[in-house]
Amino acid sequence: MNAPTTLRAFELQPGFTVSHGPTAEAVLPHQLPEALDWFPQTKVLSLDCFDTLLWRDCHAPVDLFPALPDMTPMQRRWADSRARKAAGNSHGRSEVSIGEIYAHLMPAATPAQRDAAITAELDAEARHCFAFAPTVELMRRARARGMRVIIVSDTYLDAAQLRQLVERAAGKEVAALIDRFFVSSAHGKHKAEGLYKDVLRKLSARPHEILHIGDNHGADVGGIAPLGVNTLHLKQFDPLILQQLRLEAASSNLIHPIQGALTASQPHRATLAFAAPQEEDPAARMGLSVLGPVLTGFDMWLDEEARKLAVTHGGRVHRLYLMRDGFMPMQVHAARHPQDEVHPIECSRFTAIGASFASERDVARYMETALGTDPVPLARQMFISEEDIARICATGNMREDSLALWAEMRKSSRRRATVAASRALADRLVAHIRAACDPQPGDVLMLVDLGYTGTVQNHVDTVLSQAFQCHVAGRYLMLRETHRTGLDKLGMLDDRHYDYQMLDALCSNAFVLESFCTTNIGSVIDYTAEGTPIRRERSLSEAQAATLLRIQKGILDFARIQPGMILRGDHGADPLDLWRQAVAASLTRTMFLPLDHELAVIGDFEHDVNLGTDDKHMLFNSQGTASGLRRRGLFHLSDKDRVYPAGELHGHGLASKLTFMAHKRFGLHFTFNDFTDRALDLPVIFIDQQTGALSEQTITATATHDGFYVAAVPLGDCRYGAALRFGQDHAWVELESIHAMPLADFLANDPLAPDRSIEMDAMAEGIEAVTQRLLRCDDQAGFLMVNPPTRVDDTPMMLAVVFRPLERR
């Protein structure tokens, strides 16, 4: 798996081009192989080392420190700082060696112990460094033109250590391209302090005959260009990719341990650096940068799982990609391995469940757990005709129709009919799979899907294993089993690597992932006798389908480009461990910390529920979010029908998104009061509508969001009117809303309460409505008068008054 990579000519992928000529002293990663053409007088190619030739598998250099044994990352950083301070105070040097650092890290250790610790760090660097292929191609072209190639690096390694690291991390062929190493630790100063003056003295070349390239503008341009050397700043990433990677690193630290292994794993950095600047279409760029790494990493894991299944069970492993969400995993595999056979299998939850009723007991068991859901699609699942459904579910009342369906399904004749229809559907499903791959006894059927509980496998595993005499295995991107099925199921992200709360957080927000991976065909509802799928109508709008194709193009571009971006020696880390962490971090970031340009691409997307219904939900709808947050705070997001809550939170600050993220990731059981650490008093005069009696109380208004407060003003059973005395304490107030609702709804924080509430009008006295929302309270006695709603029964009612004080009196 980690065999040395042979040097080969650099190849551009279809659809990507090299732009010629530097811009503002900068070179983009994909332009590196052409950089020598811009400076034809060059005789010496000078390169920075880290993040120019050698890149790391992690977000930042310090993310390697947790992988070092017998120390904490903080101890390693402190030792570096102390060593530099001591060298500056004692010898006037800003640069130190790794030996000096470890002398401060392990002052009581023997030289042999410190040498062993240094060796462990160098081993970790060798495991997690690789050569960036475009830089290697630049070096290869330089040598082909007879140029010398040198490395000039600000590093605490000495020249011998750095050469050995390049050889181990990138391979001997790459190291052989380099004539000489210059390191700051040997000269006591870094490039910005004049290291390159020493380099020029030791080179038999004039400054204008040298081209130096590096990723640090201050060091590699500012510290060298004034000497007359041609310089180019390697701009690894544009600001959008930089922000994405930064947020992915932060997300990784929330879901992975930060001790004992590399943190913030990002093996996709090189591919994004090369490909992202060349993609101008926002939708394709989103696919390339967000979903490309996820599905490419998933495919690598599937390759290894297929190999293991073949070894364990023998026979041929058939990859059956479950449509529709398995569409893009299948396409990514076809892009990475065009020679492999892949089989799209159309088996929805609806057909899988329908094919699983082998006995009347199976029918009864399913009804016991499904009763309470929408009775109409449930009746269809039981193979009841539309005519009979209209008769059974005649009232339109969910509870009454569910009870009627339950009574119908208790009839033995109805259960027998369901079993017979189920067995016939199972035969047609078997015909569908036989037509796709014709499995033989002893083969393995590897069902591939995004996840998340393996519902389809739960229902068809026995059907398929008995029909084909094959072993059935489910392999999923994310797996969060709700019960122990005992089936052969694994997830790239599952409970072997992540706690249940983390898996639940990912799976409960996975609709956005499904929206990228689907294909524009209707969900299968049956098959012909020959196994041809019978589908519902296509569910995507033309606009969404067109955008989806552009996103998926970007996903496939990443999959094709990725293998050619990295050159490793024979000491590389296990790539599956790196990709698993990167996939988890990327998904977490996408689901909880989406970026503005990403949401702009998918703003009109709808999600197809796909359970034998035509139900769709907007992926996210931010129009009512601001008002909801002001009324209820983050509890506004508790509505069960929300598909992509983080998308709705966009525009309300990182703090809100991080709070929601932590709540979901750690399963934090907060109440409304836990979020409230600010309150203010609102004087209210109550008017008894029966007696005309007046009484005054002070209502405590609690903070919600963005400076707004909500005051719960009791109305009894609609007996009392309320005069809201804003003028008492405030000169200016912004009024968001006044709604009447049952007191029980408010106390229970019922997500449906806003839909049942009544918007109330108010009459102003001593208060001027400057705009519909902005109130000027010139009179300290000014108030808003709100009469109670019409009484229906003796239910206790209240007013939810949402306002923001702008200026206190």
Side-chain angles (χ1 to χ4, degrees):
M1 187 172 294
N2 294 315
T5 305
T6 57
L7 211 57
R8 57 180 175 80
F10 189 80
E11 298 176 357
L12 289 173
Q13 298 296 321
F16 289 88
T17 59
V18 168
S19 56
H20 296 275
T23 302
E25 300 179 332
V27 58
L28 299 176
H30 66 280
Q31 297 172 324
L32 279 169
E34 308 296 325
L36 294 175
D37 296 338
W38 308 337
F39 301 92
Q41 75 278 20
T42 301
K43 294 183 180 179
V44 177
L45 175 62
S46 171
L47 297 171
D48 175 45
C49 186
F50 295 103
D51 290 323
T52 300
L53 170 58
L54 290 187
W55 294 30
R56 292 181 177 91
D57 291 319
C58 49
H59 179 253
V62 294
D63 294 324
L64 181 72
F65 292 165
L68 305 182
D70 303 322
M71 69 183 75
T72 68
M74 185 64 71
Q75 290 170 339
R76 175 61 179 80
R77 291 197 295 270
W78 282 344
D80 186 289
S81 177
R82 287 195 298 268
R84 294 179 189 277
K85 183 176 181 179
N89 290 336
S90 299
H91 307 290
R93 292 187 289 112
S94 61
E95 293 293 283
V96 296
S97 69
I98 193 171
E100 292 174 282
I101 293 171
Y102 271 81
H104 284 271
L105 178 65
M106 306 168 63
T110 66
Q113 289 172 327
R114 283 197 291 268
D115 288 345
I118 291 171
T119 298
E121 178 167 335
L122 295 176
D123 289 344
E125 289 277 18
R127 286 195 306 274
H128 293 296
C129 284
F130 59 86
F132 185 48
T135 305
V136 174
E137 177 61 14
L138 171 65
M139 296 163 61
R140 185 183 65 80
R141 294 185 185 185
R143 293 305 295 262
R145 300 183 187 189
M147 298 180 187
R148 285 179 290 167
V149 177
I150 65 172
I151 297 293
V152 183
S153 177
D154 290 340
T155 177
Y156 41 73
L157 303 182
D158 63 33
Q161 289 169 332
L162 188 57
R163 175 177 286 279
Q164 185 181 42
L165 176 59
V166 171
E167 183 174 309
R168 296 177 67 192
K172 293 181 179 180
E173 292 176 278
V174 174
L177 295 173
I178 303 168
D179 294 288
R180 196 165 180 180
F181 289 81
F182 295 90
V183 294
S184 60
S185 62
H187 295 263
K189 53 189 173 184
H190 49 73
K191 282 176 277 191
E193 292 179 322
L195 169 61
Y196 220 87
K197 293 180 181 178
D198 295 350
V199 174
L200 288 174
R201 282 194 290 268
K202 297 187 178 184
L203 289 177
S204 56
R206 298 173 181 176
H208 72 275
E209 296 174 337
I210 302 172
L211 171 61
H212 179 81
I213 302 175
D215 69 292
N216 186 315
H217 187 275
D220 295 303
V221 176
I224 298 176
L227 302 177
V229 176
N230 297 306
T231 59
L232 285 174
H233 173 218
L234 174 60
K235 296 184 68 173
Q236 280 185 292
F237 306 104
D238 63 36
L240 294 181
I241 297 296
L242 274 175
Q243 184 181 21
Q244 174 187 324
L245 294 174
R246 185 167 59 249
L247 293 178
E248 286 179 5
S251 299
S252 183
N253 286 339
L254 281 171
I255 63 177
H256 296 121
I258 54 174
Q259 186 67 33
L262 180 95
T263 58
S265 171
Q266 293 182 343
H268 51 301
R269 289 168 62 83
T271 309
L272 295 188
F274 176 84
Q278 303 179 73
E279 185 53 78
E280 297 181 354
D281 175 26
R285 183 182 170 101
M286 181 179 183
L288 184 146
S289 61
V290 177
L291 272 298
V294 170
L295 295 183
T296 297
F298 181 38
D299 190 62
M300 293 178 184
W301 179 76
L302 289 173
D303 289 343
E304 180 64 13
E305 288 302 307
R307 185 193 67 79
K308 291 178 180 177
L309 287 170
V311 170
T312 302
H313 298 281
R316 185 176 182 181
V317 177
H318 302 274
R319 294 178 183 237
L320 308 184
Y321 291 85
L322 300 181
M323 299 293 108
R324 296 171 293 176
D325 296 343
F327 175 72
M328 277 315 293
M330 180 184 72
Q331 294 295 95
V332 166
H333 185 76
R336 297 184 68 246
H337 303 289
Q339 73 282 359
D340 286 1
E341 287 188 23
V342 292
H343 307 291
I345 298 299
E346 297 188 46
C347 184
S348 63
R349 284 179 290 173
F350 184 76
T351 56
I353 294 169
S356 67
F357 303 128
S359 67
E360 292 184 42
R361 178 57 189 148
D362 291 338
V363 175
R365 186 181 296 113
Y366 182 77
M367 284 295 300
E368 289 169 356
T369 57
L371 197 68
T373 60
D374 190 336
V376 173
L378 180 56
R380 293 185 183 125
Q381 189 75 79
M382 296 295 104
F383 301 95
I384 298 176
S385 68
E386 292 298 319
E387 181 180 356
D388 284 348
I389 291 174
R391 173 180 54 81
I392 297 167
C393 303
T395 70
N397 179 280
M398 185 170 175
R399 175 174 172 77
E400 293 181 11
D401 289 349
S402 294
L403 292 175
L405 178 59
W406 175 254
E408 180 71 18
M409 291 310 301
R410 295 186 68 181
K411 299 176 182 178
S412 181
S413 59
R414 177 63 74 183
R415 292 198 301 270
R416 287 197 300 270
T418 297
V419 171
S422 177
R423 290 176 177 174
L425 177 58
D427 290 341
R428 297 192 294 274
L429 171 60
V430 167
H432 172 62
I433 293 180
R434 192 180 300 281
C437 63
D438 192 23
Q440 300 301 306
D443 285 353
V444 176
L445 302 180
M446 187 171 83
L447 307 181
V448 179
D449 199 358
L450 298 180
Y452 310 97
T453 61
T455 302
V456 168
Q457 184 183 355
N458 291 347
H459 291 282
V460 303
D461 193 293
T462 300
V463 172
L464 299 184
S465 61
Q466 290 179 353
F468 295 112
Q469 296 300 300
C470 290
H471 178 74
V472 178
R475 295 298 181 264
Y476 306 96
L477 175 61
M478 298 183 287
L479 180 63
R480 174 208 54 183
E481 283 202 283
T482 55
H483 59 286
R484 292 296 180 182
T485 62
L487 303 178
D488 184 355
K489 291 183 187 178
L490 291 176
M492 183 181 192
L493 312 181
D494 61 17
D495 58 11
R496 296 171 300 162
H497 306 97
Y498 297 95
D499 62 81
Y500 76 95
Q501 195 64 54
M502 169 62 192
L503 295 172
D504 187 67
L506 287 180
C507 294
S508 63
N509 288 274
F511 297 120
V512 63
L513 175 63
E514 295 174 359
S515 298
F516 297 143
C517 292
T518 191
T519 183
N520 193 19
I521 59 174
S523 179
V524 63
I525 55 175
D526 203 347
Y527 312 89
T528 66
E530 296 76 24
T532 303
I534 299 172
R535 309 183 184 104
R536 304 182 73 84
E537 293 295 321
R538 295 184 180 185
S539 60
L540 301 183
S541 67
E542 290 186 10
Q544 181 169 338
T547 301
L548 180 61
L549 288 176
R550 291 156 53 206
I551 292 173
Q552 292 176 343
K553 172 192 174 296
I555 294 173
L556 297 179
D557 284 340
F558 183 97
R560 296 187 187 102
I561 295 169
Q562 184 274 331
M565 290 298 102
I566 290 175
L567 297 173
R568 286 193 188 272
D570 57 358
H571 295 84
D574 182 355
L576 291 184
D577 283 343
L578 298 175
W579 280 97
R580 177 181 292 107
Q581 293 185 41
V583 165
S586 181
L587 285 173
T588 302
R589 198 283 305 170
T590 303
M591 292 177 185
F592 293 99
L593 302 174
L595 299 172
D596 185 68
H597 63 279
E598 297 167 349
L599 296 177
V601 170
I602 60 174
D604 296 327
F605 271 33
E606 293 181 322
H607 175 69
D608 180 4
V609 175
N610 179 24
L611 251 181
T613 73
D614 295 320
D615 289 350
K616 295 180 184 178
H617 298 289
M618 291 294 295
L619 198 57
F620 66 97
N621 183 359
S622 58
Q623 291 183 354
T625 300
S627 179
L629 289 172
R630 291 168 182 174
R631 295 179 187 181
R632 299 166 57 202
L634 281 176
F635 285 86
H636 167 71
L637 298 177
S638 61
D639 297 22
K640 64 179 180 179
D641 288 335
R642 297 193 180 279
V643 177
Y644 191 20
E648 300 192 12
L649 274 178
H650 189 72
H652 295 280
L654 181 61
S656 295
K657 288 185 279 190
L658 280 177
T659 302
F660 178 69
M661 180 180 181
H663 164 68
K664 297 294 290 186
R665 190 267 173 263
F666 296 108
L668 306 177
H669 299 292
F670 290 135
T671 68
F672 182 84
N673 289 336
D674 296 325
F675 281 87
T676 302
D677 58 1
R678 287 178 296 140
L680 54 81
D681 293 337
L682 176 62
V684 178
I685 297 175
F686 292 92
I687 303 95
D688 190 320
Q689 301 294 295
Q690 297 178 8
T691 67
L694 304 180
S695 63
E696 184 169 1
Q697 294 183 24
T698 299
I699 302 298
T700 299
T702 53
T704 54
H705 178 76
D706 201 22
F708 281 82
Y709 291 76
V710 60
V713 181
L715 299 177
D717 57 351
C718 299
R719 179 173 177 174
Y720 298 98
L724 311 175
R725 297 187 57 198
F726 286 114
Q728 174 71 34
D729 297 315
H730 306 287
W732 290 88
V733 171
E734 181 180 357
L735 182 65
E736 170 71 19
S737 62
I738 303 176
H739 283 82
M741 66 179 66
L743 179 61
D745 283 359
F746 183 83
L747 295 177
N749 195 42
D750 187 340
L752 299 179
D755 298 331
R756 296 193 295 266
S757 64
I758 305 169
E759 186 172 3
M760 304 299 292
D761 295 324
M763 295 178 292
E765 181 68 34
I767 292 178
E768 178 187 358
V770 179
T771 68
Q772 187 175 4
R773 299 168 59 98
L774 185 61
L775 307 180
R776 180 166 61 194
C777 310
D778 289 333
D779 188 344
Q780 190 168 3
F783 61 88
L784 294 181
M785 182 66 207
V786 183
N787 291 317
T790 302
R791 185 180 187 279
V792 176
D793 52 33
D794 57 359
T795 300
M797 299 290 289
M798 58 157 280
L799 294 177
V801 183
V802 181
F803 65 98
R804 175 162 57 182
L806 301 178
E807 181 181 338
R808 292 188 66 84
R809 186 171 299 284

